[in-house]
């Protein structure tokens, strides 16, 4: 046989099936492009200069993995649609005297053409878009924009090898299908009659049960630290539950509808219910995939967007003051007291040297220890017990003079009295006892105490105990960094202020000016009386940079992955419509012969499409609302406390997605109508 | 009283660019009386399918008229045609045209559901017909679970359930084995004896020999008609067979 015949046949095959091939190639191109862009950003030189670049590299390499694995699964799935259509043609060639060997040669050419076409166009688009993506990312990260243009050969190589392997795997899979089926089987493969499924009670109810359990977990998990672990379990359960319900549950549901004669034997329901039950088994998987993809997109978009737009909130929470110095020592006596007052003077001189006005000054000492509160008794546990984090509280003793100074108040306490400020967990007893040894009367509950960044991100409830005098009040309870029974207690000195009239650069200078003093304190081994355990400075300006680069990257990746998932969902929808169109065309032709009007046909198509189409969206909405409380708790860990922001972004994401989904519905159902009416118009 | 009048029917197909014209029906004229069993015979390409499509109002003629039960199908509006077809015509096809998504029962109900009949009424009607056709036991099965003859009986039930004025059968035995064919033809004869008007298109002599009258279609015209009179099926078979021999050997029939 003439060797040039095979490429010709391959090209002809692709052209003839362009309705199916075109979207497939488009998807390949899209995936290649996304992969290249993510790979490019990972190695981008422009991003190297931005603080927090390491976060970009690790986030992006995670993104690379996700896209690669997802592309592999997804391209396999869509290729199966293609093969279903192509098999008939191959069967015909086979019957006309072409050997399997020859068919394989056609297949080889087809795969080569598809692979080269997708890779070349995908890479070109990727190179073209990568700079844009980089600019967007830099902008999101609040970084310096550079206008150099380059191609990352590393990423080109990686993309080519990843997608090359995927294409080879897909080819091998098609090969397997051709090899193991006879000519007649190939010829008939497209219209292999499928048994109408029997509703499977066990699977249907199992799905319902798994989903209900996942929802229950999502709603009831109280502790943010636990939430992270439970989240992944719940996600897996939701995926399993969705697939079971869509595949088995929906058939069950339709069967139930069929039993209701008054409902079933109506022109509108009759045709749509029966064809739904018929195709649910196969297409249930497709619907479930669409639903899962939709949910993933919604979760990704809503969380990453609210994280990004909540970055200032998170920053303010994490760093309540522009500059914050925290010193931890084993006591506040003697040498340490001197160190503190010297350090205070140094900080003030550094700040004042830059003519920055210090406002909202925070200056207090405190002793902190982990404890469990039982009734009115506080029992020190010494360490934070991770397994039991929900019952642990952090107790913070602060002397009244420091409280008054920091808050600008003039409270006074007698020896037996304390004031309380509770964060996270209310305390409503009249007295408070420590380790069963010492009891104080609660004079009043303070409305507020200075916010500390540690406190804000701490998921552990905190109780501030304002005592009349640190030494005498704690006598017998805590001494020299140890609780009575040898547990750890920490002495803190916190000094912070705002300097709103200073530029960010000046604030960074202040931080850099103070930093050496702190280093000196820690390094001074020659000073035997130095009991300083740690010394830390936090500058909001510095934190802002790293916050923006981290959250900007996460946001960007969230959007990129969402686009990938959306492409996938759209393609599944499109193929579903197309393949159903071909199936239904003959069915509607028969119905027309039996006496169904065009209008009735159209109406029945509409009601069917509508139900099948909006089922995944509805499910995604339900999944999302049940996931809301769980995700909110996880966001707490990531410094986002703004529930309103998260609720709004979630609602907006859903609305936008629903709109987009409707547009897709319109477009793909047109393709469906064309196929179906193409058959009914043929008289 | 004639239930169907076909007068001067003409159908011309033209290729897409309007170049070649093919005359499928030139001048077809015949009528069918109430309660009659008429078979239309013809070679492939004689215009049988075109005629049937026009009678079923699935296609429109180029000229002439089709009057069914006093209504001119040609001038009927598109929107009314489907309902008219549903209420007045019953169809039996060579390839059954049962929907594989429905059980046999639901397949039979289809035209009634479309007409908005209450399900109790549908059940009542089906019970009668199913017994007569011997498919009462098969109603809950799907088309792929039953034999060709059983499928065709279900299709006949679907055609009968609306109580149509006329049943149009297009090669109803074409896809059946000989045993099923005999059964099916007996069934058609029974139905006809019950007063049902049947118009059957076929090229099987056996099928046509059961009819009361046989029209021969060729070159777009009805060029010969055979009446049964008091003949038995066997005699009718012989007459049809002789006629066909004459046609194929080029003899002139008068």
């Amino acid at each position: 046989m003439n060797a040039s015949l095979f490429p010709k046949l391959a090209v002809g095959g692709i052209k003839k099936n362009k309705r199916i091939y075109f979207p497939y190639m488009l998807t390949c191109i899209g995936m290649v492009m996304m992969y290249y862009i993510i790979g490019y950003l990972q190695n981008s030189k422009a991003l190297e200069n931005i603080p927090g670049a390491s976060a970009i590299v690790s986030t992006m390499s995670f993104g690379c993995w996700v896209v690669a694995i997802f592309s592999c699964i997804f391209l396999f799935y869509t290729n199966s649609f293609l093969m279903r259509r192509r098999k008939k043609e191959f069967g015909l060639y086979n019957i006309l005297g072409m050997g399997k060997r020859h068919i394989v040669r056609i297949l080889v050419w087809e795969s080569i053409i598809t692979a080269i076409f997708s890779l070349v166009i995908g890479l070109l688009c990727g190179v073209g878009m990568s700079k844009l993506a980089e600019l967007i990312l830099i902008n999101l990260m609040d970084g310096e924009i550079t206008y150099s243009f380059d191609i990352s050969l590393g990423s080109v190589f990686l993309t080519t090898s990843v997608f090359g392997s995927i294409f080879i795997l897909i080819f091998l899979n098609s090969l397997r299908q051709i090899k193991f089926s006879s000519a007649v089987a190939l010829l008939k493969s497209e219209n292999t009659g499928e048994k109408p499924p029997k509703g499977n009670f066990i699977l249907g109810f199992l799905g319902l049960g798994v989903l209900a359990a996942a929802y229950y977990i999502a709603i009831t998990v109280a502790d943010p630290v636990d939430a992270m672990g439970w989240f992944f379990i719940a996600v897996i359960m939701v995926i399993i539950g969705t697939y079971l319900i869509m595949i088995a549950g929906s058939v069950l549901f339709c069967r139930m509808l069929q039993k209701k004669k008054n409902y079933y034997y109506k022109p509108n329901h009759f045709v749509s219910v029966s064809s739904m039950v018929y195709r649910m088994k196969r297409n249930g998987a497709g619907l479930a995939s669409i639903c899962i993809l939709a949910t993933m997109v919604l979760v990704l978009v809503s969380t990453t967007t609210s994280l990004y737009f909540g970055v200032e909130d998170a920053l303010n929470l994490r760093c309540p003051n522009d500059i914050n110095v925290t010193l931890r020592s084993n006591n506040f006596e003697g040498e340490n007291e001197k160190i503190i007052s010297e350090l205070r003077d140094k900080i003030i001189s550094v700040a004042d040297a830059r003519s920055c006005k210090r406002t909202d000054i925070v200056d207090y000492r405190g002793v902190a220890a982990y404890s469990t509160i039982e009734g009115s008794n506080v029992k020190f546990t010494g360490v934070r017990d991770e397994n039991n984090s929900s019952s642990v509280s952090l107790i913070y003793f602060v002397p009244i003079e420091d409280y008054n100074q920091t808050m600008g108040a003039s409270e006074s306490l007698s020896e037996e009295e304390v004031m309380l400020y509770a964060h996270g967990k209310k305390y409503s007893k009249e007295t408070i006892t420590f380790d069963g040894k010492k009891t104080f009367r609660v004079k009043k509950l303070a409305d507020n105490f200075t916010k500390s960044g540690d406190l804000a991100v701490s998921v552990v409830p905190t109780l501030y105990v304002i005592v009349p005098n640190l030494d005498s009040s704690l006598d017998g309870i805590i001494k020299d960094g140890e609780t009575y029974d040898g547990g750890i207690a920490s002495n803190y000195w916190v000094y912070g202020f705002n300097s709103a009239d200073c530029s960010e650069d000046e604030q960074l200078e202040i931080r850099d000016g103070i930093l050496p003093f702190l280093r000196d304190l820690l390094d001074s081994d020659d000073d035997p009386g130095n009991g300083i355990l740690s010394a830390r400075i936090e500058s909001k300006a510095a934190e802002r940079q790293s916050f923006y680069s981290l959250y900007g990257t996460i946001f960007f990746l969230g959007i990129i992955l969402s686009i990938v998932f959306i492409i996938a969902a759209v393609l599944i929808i499109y193929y579903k419509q197309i393949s159903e169109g071909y199936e239904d065309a003959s069915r509607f032709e028969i119905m027309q012969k039996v006496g169904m009007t065009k209008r009735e046909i159209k109406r029945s198509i509409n009601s069917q499409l509508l139900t099948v189409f909006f089922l995944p969206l509805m499910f995604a909405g339900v999944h999302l609302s049940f996931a809301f409380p769980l995700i909110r708790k996880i966001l707490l860990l990531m410094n986002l406390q703004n529930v309103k922001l998260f609720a709004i972004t979630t609602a907006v994401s859903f609305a936008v997605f629903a709109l987009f989904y409707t547009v897709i519905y319109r477009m793909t159902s047109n393709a469906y109508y064309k196929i179906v009416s193409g058959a009914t118009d043929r008289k | 009283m004639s239930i169907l009048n076909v007068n001067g029917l003409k159908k011309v197909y033209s290729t897409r660019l309007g170049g070649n014209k093919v005359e499928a029906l030139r001048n077809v004229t015949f009528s069918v009386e109430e309660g009659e069993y008429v078979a239309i015979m013809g070679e492939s390409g004689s215009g049988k399918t075109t005629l049937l499509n026009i009678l079923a109002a699935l296609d429109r003629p180029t000229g002439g008229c089709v009057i069914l039960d006093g209504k001119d199908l040609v001038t009927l509006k598109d929107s009314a045609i489907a309902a008219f077809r549903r209420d007045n015509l019953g169809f039996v096809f060579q390839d059954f045209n049962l929907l594989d998504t429905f059980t046999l029962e639901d397949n039979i109900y289809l035209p009634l559901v479309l007409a908005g009949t209450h399900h109790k009424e549908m059940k009542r009607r089906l019970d009668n017909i199913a017994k007569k056709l011997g498919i009462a036991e098969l109603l809950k099965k799907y088309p792929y679970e039953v034999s060709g003859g059983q499928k065709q009986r279900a299709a006949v039930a679907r055609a009968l359930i609306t109580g149509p004025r006329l049943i149009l059968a297009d090669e109803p035995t074409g896809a059946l084995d000989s045993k099923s064919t005999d059964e099916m033809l007996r069934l058609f004869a029974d139905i006809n004896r019950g007063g049902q008007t049947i118009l059957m298109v076929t090229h099987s002599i056996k099928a046509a020999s059961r009819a009361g009258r046989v029209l021969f279609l060729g070159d777009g015209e009805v060029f010969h008609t055979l009446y049964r009179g008091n003949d038995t099926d066997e005699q009718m078979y012989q007459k049809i067979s002789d006629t066909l021999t004459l046609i194929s050997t080029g003899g002139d029939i008068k």
Side-chain angles (χ1 to χ4, degrees), chain A residues 250-460:
Chain A
S250 56
V251 174
L252 264 187
F253 179 69
C254 290
R255 286 260 177 258
M256 262 154 58
L257 288 183
Q258 283 184 321
K259 293 246 163 67
K260 286 183 65 179
K261 293 202 159 102
N262 275 329
Y263 176 87
Y264 179 50
Y265 289 118
K266 290 275 177 296
N268 286 344
H269 308 144
F270 191 59
V271 176
S272 48
V273 169
S274 65
S275 40
M276 261 196 293
V277 72
Y278 183 72
R279 65 164 50 127
M280 267 311 185
K281 197 169 136 202
R282 177 148 35 93
N283 291 349
L287 288 181
S289 310
I290 296 172
C291 171
I292 296 295
L293 286 174
T295 315
M296 289 207 294
V297 168
L298 287 170
V299 168
L300 267 177
V301 171
S302 60
T303 48
T304 54
T305 319
S306 49
L307 274 180
Y308 183 71
F309 287 102
V311 68
E312 281 294 331
D313 283 1
L315 191 63
N316 288 336
L317 213 64
R318 186 68 187 77
C319 309
N321 305 311
D322 287 344
I323 297 287
N324 208 67
V325 178
T326 310
L327 214 60
R328 211 181 105 209
S329 63
N330 48 21
N331 60 45
F332 291 127
E333 289 158 3
E335 194 70 15
N336 285 343
E337 199 170 359
K338 217 177 95 198
I339 288 173
I340 288 173
S341 70
E342 277 174 17
L343 184 59
R344 184 188 290 121
D345 292 342
K346 285 174 187 163
I347 294 169
I348 292 171
S349 68
V350 168
D352 290 351
R354 279 166 189 76
S355 68
C356 288
K357 204 185 282 168
R358 287 173 293 119
T359 55
D360 309 316
I361 296 167
V362 173
D363 184 353
Y364 66 90
R365 290 163 297 163
V367 177
Y370 285 105
S371 66
T372 51
I373 301 176
E374 287 151 1
S376 66
N377 186 33
V378 176
K379 195 175 172 324
F380 294 112
T381 54
V383 286
R384 182 176 160 190
D385 183 359
E386 287 291 341
N387 299 325
N388 201 10
S389 56
S390 53
S391 66
V392 169
S393 293
L394 183 63
I395 302 292
Y396 225 114
F397 295 98
V398 177
I400 183 77
E401 45 174 327
D402 292 9
Y403 174 85
N404 282 339
Q405 191 187 342
T406 297
M407 301 304 289
S410 52
E411 301 283 346
S412 64
L413 294 170
S414 73
E415 274 299 305
E416 323 288 275
E417 285 176 335
V418 290
M419 266 169 60
L420 298 178
Y421 170 64
H423 175 88
K425 204 186 224 171
K426 284 218 165 59
Y427 187 87
S428 52
K429 298 280 187 307
E430 302 248 315
T431 61
I432 186 163
T433 308
F434 295 99
D435 259 352
K437 292 193 172 58
K438 235 177 165 172
T439 304
F440 296 89
R441 195 172 62 77
V442 178
K443 187 189 178 194
K444 68 184 263 192
L445 298 174
D447 299 329
N448 204 356
F449 186 55
T450 175
K451 290 199 181 73
S452 110
D454 288 333
L455 174 64
V457 293
S458 167
V459 291
V460 175

Side-chain angles (χ1 to χ4, degrees), chain A residues 166-184:
Chain A
I166 293 177
F167 286 129
I168 289 172
L169 283 177
I170 288 175
F171 167 71
L172 290 177
N173 185 45
S174 319
L175 203 65
R176 184 183 58 84
Q177 294 180 42
I178 297 287
K179 273 265 186 263
F180 293 110
S181 38
S182 70
V184 178

Side-chain angles (χ1 to χ4, degrees), chain A residues 512-567:
Chain A
D512 295 341
I514 297 172
L515 214 49
F517 301 134
L518 301 182
R519 287 217 185 92
D520 286 348
L521 280 179
L522 291 175
D523 293 343
S524 50
D525 290 333
D526 51 321
D527 188 352
N530 183 341
I532 304 298
L533 301 171
S534 75
R536 223 150 32 91
I537 180 163
E538 279 177 342
S539 148
K540 193 187 258 182
E543 291 290 314
R544 177 173 284 120
Q545 286 181 346
S546 68
F547 265 60
Y548 269 98
S549 61
L550 177 63
Y551 287 21
T553 315
I554 292 176
F555 178 50
F556 183 78
L557 192 67
I559 299 298
I560 290 265
L561 289 182
S562 298
I563 294 174
V564 169
F565 293 149
I566 284 179
I567 292 177

